[in-house]
C-alpha cells in the first residue's frame, strides 16, 4: 500500500536529517575540543546513511510483492542502524564532558547493547520464517520464528527511536554550550552557531 511507502519515506528523511544534524554537531564540537576522531565521525555518518538507504529499499519494495528485495533492504537498515547507534555511543563517550554527560552515554550504550542483542535473533528467526505467505491473516501459532523475529524487530525499531530521542537535549545547545544562542539569532557568533 502507498501509505506504507510514504511512512518509510518520511522516516528515512527524518533519519537522514537527524544523523546529519548529529554529524555536524560532533564536527563543530570537535573544532573546539578535539575529543572525537573526525574519521570516526565520518564513518559513523556514512554507516547511518547506508542504513537509511536500506529503509528506502524497504519503502520501495513491499514485503507482499518482492519479498527478497524487501528483506535485503530490512537487513541493511537494521544491521547498519545498529552499527550506527553503537558507533554513536562510542562517539558520545569520547565527547564527555563537552558534548554528552556520562549518564546519557550510559543510557545510549544500554539502548545500543539491547539493539545489538535483539538484531541477531531477529535475523536468525527471519531466515526460518515461511516466506511463501507473508500475510499476518494466515499466521499460525505454530510459527514461532515469525513471532520471535517480529518481536526482535520491534525491539530494535524502538531502540532506534529512543536512541534518537536522546539527541534532543544536545540539539538544544551549541557545541560550545551556548543554549541561548540557538534561540536568539542576534546572539549567535560564527564560533558557536550550528546553522549556516
Amino acid at each position: 500500500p502507498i501509505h506504507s511507502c510514504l511512512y518509510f519515506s518520511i522516516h528515512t528523511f527524518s533519519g537522514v536529517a537527524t544523523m546529519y544534524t548529529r554529524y555536524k554537531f560532533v564536527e563543530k564540537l570537535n573544532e573546539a575540543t578535539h575529543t572525537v576522531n573526525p574519521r570516526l565521525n565520518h564513518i559513523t555518518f556514512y554507516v547511518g546513511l547506508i542504513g537509511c538507504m536500506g529503509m528506502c529499499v524497504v519503502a520501495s519494495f513491499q514485503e507482499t510483492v518482492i519479498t527478497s528485495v524487501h528483506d535485503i533492504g530490512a537487513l541493511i537498515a537494521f544491521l547498519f542502524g545498529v552499527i550506527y547507534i553503537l558507533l554513536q555511543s562510542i562517539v558520545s563517550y569520547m565527547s564527555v564532558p563537552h558534548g554528552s554527560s556520562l549518564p546519557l552515554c550510559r543510557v545510549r550504550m544500554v539502548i545500543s547493547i539491547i539493539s545489538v542483542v535483539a538484531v541477531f535473533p531477529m535475523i536468525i528467526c527471519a531466515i526460518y520464517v515461511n516466506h511463501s505467505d507473508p500475510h499476518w491473516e494466515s499466521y499460525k501459532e505454530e510459527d514461532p520464528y515469525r513471532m520471535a523475529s517480529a518481536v526482535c524487530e520491534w525491539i530494535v525499531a524502538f531502540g532506534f527511536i529512543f536512541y534518537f530521542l536522546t539527541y534532543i537535549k544536545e540539539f538544544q545547545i551549541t557545541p560550545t554550550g551556548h543554549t541561548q544562542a540557538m534561540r536568539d539569532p542576534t546572539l549567535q557568533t560564527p564560533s558557536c552557531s550550528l546553522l549556516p
Side-chain angles (χ1 to χ4, degrees), residues 115-127:
S115 297
V116 166
V117 168
V119 82
F120 290 110
M122 178 193 80
I123 294 167
I124 292 167
C125 291
I127 292 169

Side-chain angles (χ1 to χ4, degrees), residues 33-111:
T33 63
H34 305 290
T35 56
V36 178
N37 183 342
R39 287 178 61 195
L40 179 62
N41 191 31
H42 291 301
I43 290 168
T44 303
F45 178 63
Y46 292 126
V47 164
L49 288 181
I50 292 169
C52 287
M53 283 192 286
M55 284 181 62
C56 284
V57 171
V58 169
S60 301
F61 298 95
Q62 298 297 304
E63 183 180 19
T64 56
V65 179
I66 306 175
T67 305
S68 60
V69 176
H70 176 89
D71 289 347
I72 290 169
L75 179 67
I76 291 168
F78 283 112
L79 268 182
F80 281 87
V82 166
I83 294 169
Y84 171 80
I85 65 173
L86 193 58
L87 289 174
Q88 274 300 340
S89 295
I90 294 167
V91 167
S92 295
Y93 271 106
M94 294 173 83
S95 67
V96 170
H98 307 289
S100 301
S101 67
L102 194 56
L104 182 60
C105 290
R106 290 179 180 149
V107 167
R108 287 180 179 164
M109 190 56 79
V110 166
I111 293 170

Side-chain angles (χ1 to χ4, degrees), residues 145-182:
Y145 297 115
R146 183 181 301 260
M147 182 61 88
S149 181
V151 168
C152 291
E153 183 178 323
W154 280 103
I155 289 170
V156 174
F158 275 105
F160 294 156
I161 292 167
F162 289 131
Y163 196 93
F164 277 21
L165 288 175
T166 67
Y167 290 157
I168 291 173
K169 193 72 171 166
E170 289 177 347
F171 287 176
Q172 292 174 349
I173 62 170
T174 62
T176 56
H178 300 291
T179 322
Q180 186 62 28
M182 291 299 282

